Amino acid sequence: MKKLIIAALLVVGLSAFAQDKKEMRKRPDRAEMEKLTPEQRNELMLKKMTLDLDLDVKQQEQMKQIIAEQTAKREAMRAERKANQEKNTDERFDMKSKMMDEQIAMKSKLKSILSAEQFEKWNAEKEKQQERRGNRRGGDRK
């Protein structure tokens, strides 16, 4: 009887552990993504947008430039943030305001490149990403 109970517990434990690994493999971890060069990440992002939004060749070229610009700006901001770990509230406000201005500019550029349907798809995908980010952080921060 003890052997049967131990075997049952072992089976349940192993199946639960196997399911956790499957869930973890759905998304590449941050370390793997950071191994990619910025150009490789940009290319992957462009391909994903091409698949999701059915971009034509002209739109792909325009989006490639925008993605490269955004990556460069993001890397510069990340470097600045690391250099100045302890910022006062005014500097944080300025940085957050600058980030929001960049997002507004990006959105207006995309509106001029994408069709209305493509823009709606892109917007919906961004909202899903924000929801996922909020869920991972333990709450909805918008």
Side-chain angles (χ1 to χ4, degrees):
M1 187 69 169
K2 287 182 183 179
K3 289 182 181 179
L4 182 61
I5 293 172
I6 291 173
L9 288 174
L10 186 62
V11 168
V12 170
L14 288 175
S15 65
F17 181 70
Q19 290 174 358
D20 288 343
K21 280 197 165 217
K22 286 180 187 176
E23 290 296 317
M24 291 173 69
R25 288 190 179 155
K26 282 184 180 178
R27 181 183 161 100
D29 65 346
R30 177 170 251 163
E32 286 182 31
M33 288 302 288
E34 288 178 355
K35 289 179 185 175
L36 299 175
T37 65
E39 292 80 19
Q40 290 171 328
R41 286 193 301 259
N42 291 352
E43 186 176 334
L44 291 176
M45 186 182 293
L46 178 63
K47 287 182 179 184
K48 183 177 181 341
M49 287 183 78
T50 300
L51 287 172
D52 291 345
L53 304 176
D54 297 322
L55 301 178
D56 61 29
V57 176
K58 182 180 177 185
Q59 289 174 325
Q60 286 179 26
E61 287 300 317
Q62 292 171 327
M63 287 305 301
K64 186 176 185 177
Q65 291 173 351
I66 290 174
I67 291 170
E69 288 173 12
Q70 291 299 315
T71 300
K73 288 176 184 176
R74 200 169 26 250
E75 291 298 323
M77 290 176 81
R78 185 175 292 138
E80 182 181 333
R81 197 169 49 239
K82 283 184 179 181
N84 303 319
Q85 284 293 331
E86 293 183 15
K87 291 184 177 270
N88 64 32
T89 54
D90 290 338
E91 289 173 339
R92 286 186 182 161
F93 172 77
D94 291 342
M95 181 173 278
K96 188 70 172 176
S97 177
K98 185 178 175 183
M99 284 175 43
M100 296 299 251
D101 290 341
E102 291 293 332
Q103 289 176 359
I104 292 168
M106 171 76 165
K107 205 169 199 176
S108 66
K109 285 180 185 179
L110 289 178
K111 275 186 179 179
S112 68
I113 293 172
L114 302 175
S115 68
E117 183 180 312
Q118 290 171 328
F119 184 77
E120 286 301 318
K121 284 182 181 178
W122 176 82
N123 213 16
E125 185 63 32
K126 283 294 175 192
E127 288 175 6
K128 286 181 190 176
Q129 287 176 355
Q130 284 182 337
E131 287 176 17
R132 279 185 252 145
R133 261 189 234 121
N135 290 340
R136 276 190 302 213
R137 291 180 180 163
D140 198 8
R141 296 184 191 179
K142 287 189 179 181

